[in-house]
Amino acid sequence: MPLRQRTPVFERIALGVLIALVLWAPFPLGSNPGWAWGLLEAGLFAAGICWLAAWWRNEVRVPDALRAAWPALVVLTAWLAYLTLHWVPLPAGWVEVLSPQAGRHYASLVGLGGSADGPVQGQAWLSVDPRASFSFWLISCAWATAFVLTLALCRTRERLRLLAYVLVLSGLVQAVYGGMLHLAGENLVMFGTQVPHASYAAGGFVNRNHLAGFLEITLAVGIGLLIADLEDSVPRSWRRFVRDAAALVLSRKAPLRIFLIVMVVALVMTRSRMGNTAFFASLLAAGVIALVLSRHASRSTMILVASLIVVDIFIVGAWFGVEKTVQRIEQTTQKDVEERVDPGREALAIHDDFPLFGTGAGTFYITFSAYRSPDISAYFDYAHNDYVQFLDETGLVGLGLVGLFALMPLGAALLAQARRRDPLARGMGFAVVMGVVSIGIHSSVDFNLQIPANALVFMILLAFGWLSLSLGRSAPRAAAGPEIDQKAYDRASA
């Protein structure tokens, strides 16, 4: 049935809400407080309901890119169903078989006397705290909504470019906000929490490493936009090179390049050792991968990557304290490493007792205190290692599902760089490779994916991976076949 000619009001509302959430989420301490967490969930669910209303009113169709991402949707559905098992009551006998340690835990509680609100005879849970696991399941539903919304709303190249620029703008706002507070030496109390901005740039976050993680993702998207605007031709002479350089200064790419410089300055100001290391390592890795895979403008891409490293490190960074970050890395002692690594290393003991299904999503803050050694006196509500935390809380099954969900769009982005001729598709493919590699490195010593604001932009980035491969393609084709006219596609889809 043909679409009725009607302004897709509900779809525009959904897009506006998603954009507003991307800009807002970092400010209330990364949306980590309970009220900010709930507001972010409500906003994403409201946006999802608006898009469903537009679909129900026959104002929009399910885009081809969303259909093409069906493998990711299957894994995402399996992940949410798996998390449901943690907080729904199960027969105690089942729990004793699936997770013997959890079964013994609830058996001991029943022996102490159950209540209407607690464990009762004959029932138990896979999670040691079903309420915490329900909260984690709810926020996971919100992340799934953000992923699907990105695929559904970015049905044209203009929409994809718009949302990509919103991510860069959000990173820029955090960079300027955090950088100005740091330069001013202000230690502000934000939402009841004091943040030492005088020591480092933290933006709207409490932890400087979380601002670094946020900037890693948004910088990757910004670099992808720069690559999308590269010319396919390579200058054959110095005269042509100078003319192209002058055109760059006067083009729309110049403001974007300035924005990225400001964001790199803020990244340096975070003094995050792993954040800076992960960013530049992922930039080099993504550049090499693009050179190997891309048959289009690969030399231009490498020139851009080289200029980013030279300008950002040796020129811009030198003015804003890159040597302090380098010095902090050089002065890292064995004790510093142990303080960062020990929680994750000792938390592996939790996995020994809960190997398959874990202790339940969102329960690390409860279980770790029983496993830490006397040498660790501080309280840890996170493992400071996303891999270990997912392993402890959701077991091997959960870690496998999360890993598969993250690797699938990475594979799609690699295919986009190898097969697509559309510059925007190649640029977003580069962004996904760089962002996933960077967060993958950083996650080994931090917990960026446990912070709602960072998890939100990471889910949008993963959706970009599928969009880079599928957006603007009328149907599956051979690698050497032609693509459809992008401008005609955009006019038809608008």
Side-chain angles (χ1 to χ4, degrees):
M1 184 175 67
L3 290 176
R4 286 174 284 183
Q5 298 300 319
R6 179 184 298 163
T7 302
V9 176
F10 284 101
E11 186 197 31
R12 293 176 182 273
I13 293 175
L15 179 61
V17 172
L18 181 61
I19 289 174
L21 292 176
V22 169
L23 296 172
W24 159 256
F27 278 103
L29 306 180
S31 290
N32 207 33
W35 65 269
W37 186 324
L39 183 62
L40 190 58
E41 287 178 0
L44 288 171
F45 291 146
I49 291 172
C50 285
W51 188 87
L52 287 175
W55 174 79
W56 181 73
R57 288 159 57 91
N58 204 29
E59 295 176 352
V60 295
R61 291 193 181 102
V62 177
D64 292 338
L66 181 57
R67 297 179 186 274
W70 67 264
L73 299 180
V74 170
V75 175
L76 195 56
T77 302
W79 165 250
L80 294 177
Y82 173 71
L83 292 181
T84 304
L85 292 176
H86 284 95
W87 58 267
V88 297
L90 299 173
W94 293 14
V95 174
E96 290 176 0
V97 173
L98 298 174
S99 182
Q101 188 69 17
R104 287 190 289 269
H105 168 72
Y106 284 107
S108 65
L109 292 181
V110 171
L112 295 175
S115 65
D117 296 328
V120 298
Q121 189 70 36
Q123 76 175 24
W125 291 264
L126 288 175
S127 172
V128 299
D129 186 347
R131 293 181 180 179
S133 294
F134 175 77
S135 296
F136 190 93
W137 173 82
L138 199 60
I139 195 68
S140 296
C141 290
W143 303 151
T145 302
F147 179 79
V148 175
L149 271 176
T150 303
L151 292 171
L153 294 172
C154 294
R155 54 187 175 86
T156 65
R157 297 174 73 252
E158 280 73 16
R159 287 276 185 87
L160 175 57
R161 188 181 289 272
L162 170 64
L163 189 54
Y165 268 102
V166 169
L167 288 174
V168 175
L169 177 61
S170 186
L172 175 66
V173 171
Q174 289 302 309
V176 173
Y177 177 60
M180 294 298 290
L181 287 176
H182 175 61
L183 293 176
E186 294 288 342
N187 292 322
L188 299 182
V189 176
M190 302 171 57
F191 301 102
T193 302
Q194 183 171 4
V195 182
H197 293 288
S199 302
Y200 50 77
F205 299 85
V206 175
N207 191 320
R208 57 183 164 194
N209 294 297
H210 299 154
L211 174 60
F214 191 83
L215 292 176
E216 289 166 42
I217 297 173
T218 53
L219 274 166
V221 175
I223 294 172
L225 286 170
L226 276 181
I227 291 174
D229 290 332
L230 290 176
E231 299 292 339
D232 286 347
S233 60
V234 179
R236 302 287 182 181
S237 65
W238 282 105
R239 181 178 299 176
R240 174 69 181 275
F241 177 81
V242 172
R243 185 166 61 248
D244 289 347
L248 172 64
V249 173
L250 299 175
S251 71
R252 66 178 182 180
K253 290 180 284 188
L256 177 59
R257 184 68 186 94
I258 295 173
F259 296 162
L260 296 184
I261 290 175
V262 173
M263 293 161 69
V264 170
V265 168
L267 178 62
V268 172
M269 286 183 177
T270 64
R271 314 291 185 232
S272 172
R273 291 168 292 198
M274 187 55 78
N276 283 274
T277 301
F279 169 73
F280 290 109
S282 64
L283 179 58
L284 287 172
V288 172
I289 291 172
L291 180 63
V292 172
L293 293 181
S294 179
R295 297 169 297 170
H296 310 282
S298 57
R299 188 180 304 179
S300 300
T301 300
M302 290 309 299
I303 292 174
L304 173 62
V305 171
S307 70
L308 287 168
I309 295 173
V310 171
V311 173
D312 294 342
I313 293 181
F314 296 105
I315 300 179
V316 177
W319 292 345
F320 291 92
V322 71
E323 74 283 350
K324 295 180 181 178
T325 302
V326 174
Q327 184 181 18
R328 187 166 182 260
I329 295 175
E330 293 175 345
Q331 293 178 350
T332 300
T333 64
Q334 183 177 355
K335 182 179 179 181
D336 295 330
V337 175
E338 290 176 351
E339 288 177 351
R340 184 64 64 88
V341 174
D342 278 353
R345 183 171 57 195
E346 296 198 7
L348 288 174
I350 301 175
H351 171 66
D352 295 337
D353 288 339
F354 299 84
L356 195 58
F357 293 95
T359 62
T363 61
F364 181 85
Y365 76 102
I366 298 172
T367 56
F368 181 64
S369 59
Y371 288 85
R372 66 183 181 185
S373 67
D375 296 334
I376 300 180
S377 58
Y379 171 76
F380 285 91
D381 47 0
Y382 299 103
H384 288 265
N385 184 315
D386 280 322
Y387 304 107
V388 172
Q389 184 149 349
F390 278 117
L391 180 64
D392 286 346
E393 293 185 343
T394 62
L396 288 171
V397 177
L399 182 63
L401 289 172
V402 169
L404 181 61
F405 180 74
L407 289 176
M408 289 168 68
L410 178 62
L414 293 173
L415 287 175
Q417 292 190 76
R419 296 180 179 179
R420 298 298 304 271
R421 300 181 64 182
D422 178 15
L424 182 60
R426 294 200 309 270
M428 289 300 99
F430 183 99
V432 172
V433 172
M434 180 180 169
V436 171
V437 170
S438 184
I439 292 298
I441 295 173
H442 201 169
S443 288
S444 63
V445 294
D446 270 308
F447 50 101
N448 276 293
L449 297 182
Q450 311 299 325
I451 303 303
N454 289 6
L456 171 62
V457 294
F458 187 69
M459 291 297 284
I460 294 174
L461 180 75
L462 294 182
F464 282 1
W466 292 102
L467 289 167
S468 69
L469 181 62
S470 304
L471 184 63
R473 300 177 70 174
S474 57
R477 62 176 182 84
E483 294 188 11
I484 67 171
D485 184 350
Q486 295 292 346
K487 293 183 179 178
Y489 173 82
D490 293 346
R491 289 195 298 269
S493 301

